[in-house]
Amino acid sequence: QPVLTQSSSASASLGSSVKLTCTLSSGHSRYIIAWHQQQPGKAPRFLMNLEGGGSYSKGSGVPDRFSGSSSGADRSLTISNLQFEDEADYYCETWDINTQVFGGGTKLTVL
Amino acid sequence: EVQLLESGGGLVQPGGSLRLSCAASGFTFSSYAMSWLRQAPGKGLEWVSTISGSGDNTFFADSVKGRFTISRDNSKNTLYLQMSSLRAEDTAVYYCAKNQVNIWGSPHDYWGQGTLVTVSS
């Protein structure tokens, strides 16, 4: 089954951009993933589906500041013009036969 | 607007049972697979179980296989999770989530607010 690897933490300044990356394990580099945001004390929120070719489709109401890109086994989420409300945990998700898999999550701090 | 509202969480002793419910609205419930996921205190997200739109196909994480049962009532737009032989490590916030397809093979695009299950004596 696929394994998703994420950095445990990231930080960036208010108004800047940040790129969070989720890396698929060997043999799974073509898998589609999803990105979810979880603000402190809240339920997760779906942000987007992201394909291996870099195409992405965002969920309802997700701001234009959020975009996706892919390179090989890496699936990245870029947040532009960072806002304090973007401070959250970000999880990637994928699936295989009979299992759904999540990355360990990246805690984003907005400075 | 899609809404998912979980209920049924609470404190239960090890070895006990609990049934969670998730009331869905804002979409054609029977057309989509539905899942339960959980998050232990201070930890990441973990998939628990998925059921197809018709209810004919079910899938479980190894950690709950044989102890948990997933079901749905499409006439009531409601998803259920029957949990038995509960262990301390089942303590978590349990989320109901909508899949993007009918049977299997997609991420989740809507999440409920969660219900806390605590397994402790």
Side-chain angles (χ1 to χ4, degrees):
Chain A
Q1 70 180 44
V3 174
L4 299 173
T5 301
Q6 299 182 251
S7 298
S8 59
S9 65
S11 62
S13 298
L14 183 70
S16 70
S17 297
V18 68
K19 187 176 186 179
L20 308 180
T21 299
C22 171
T23 302
L24 287 150
S25 53
S26 177
H28 302 95
S29 62
R30 301 179 69 178
Y31 278 45
I32 298 170
I33 71 144
W35 281 103
H36 303 277
Q37 175 196 61
Q38 187 176 32
Q39 294 173 322
K42 293 191 174 182
R45 175 195 182 189
F46 168 72
L47 293 177
M48 67 179 65
N49 291 332
L50 177 57
E51 300 180 13
S55 300
Y56 61 93
S57 55
K58 293 195 291 187
S60 175
V62 176
D64 293 341
R65 305 185 291 106
F66 291 80
S67 63
S69 61
S70 296
S71 177
D74 290 342
R75 304 284 183 272
S76 298
L77 171 71
T78 298
I79 312 172
S80 305
N81 187 22
L82 269 171
Q83 304 296 304
F84 284 126
E85 70 220 41
D86 299 329
E87 187 160 288
D89 293 325
Y90 291 83
Y91 293 93
C92 53
E93 176 192 14
T94 193
W95 72 95
D96 204 341
I97 299 173
N98 295 336
T99 190
Q100 302 269 155
V101 176
F102 286 88
T106 297
K107 185 178 186 62
L108 174 64
T109 300
V110 179
L111 305 172
Chain B
E1 179 192 6
V2 172
Q3 291 193 351
L4 300 170
L5 185 61
E6 302 95 334
S7 60
L11 175 64
V12 60
Q13 292 188 338
S17 298
L18 205 61
R19 188 177 86 154
L20 306 183
S21 300
C22 171
S25 61
F27 64 102
T28 304
F29 184 67
S30 61
S31 294
Y32 295 93
M34 295 292 295
S35 298
W36 288 99
L37 304 102
R38 67 185 181 184
Q39 187 170 35
K43 302 296 184 182
L45 298 170
E46 179 189 14
W47 169 73
V48 173
S49 181
T50 297
I51 185 168
S52 62
S54 66
D56 290 342
N57 304 97
T58 59
F59 308 86
F60 295 93
D62 288 344
S63 57
V64 306
K65 203 171 291 185
R67 299 188 299 122
F68 289 12
T69 302
I70 190 172
S71 61
R72 63 193 295 161
D73 186 336
N74 286 344
S75 68
K76 296 181 179 180
N77 288 355
T78 303
L79 174 72
Y80 302 100
L81 184 69
Q82 179 68 48
M83 304 183 293
S84 60
S85 302
L86 282 162
R87 307 165 180 167
E89 54 263 37
D90 295 319
T91 294
V93 174
Y94 283 73
Y95 295 103
C96 160
K98 172 186 169 292
N99 288 61
Q100 297 178 36
V101 297
N102 187 278
I103 299 178
W104 177 261
S106 82
H108 303 89
D109 61 354
Y110 288 93
W111 298 72
Q113 89 291 345
T115 187
L116 176 63
V117 173
T118 303
V119 184
S120 175
S121 55

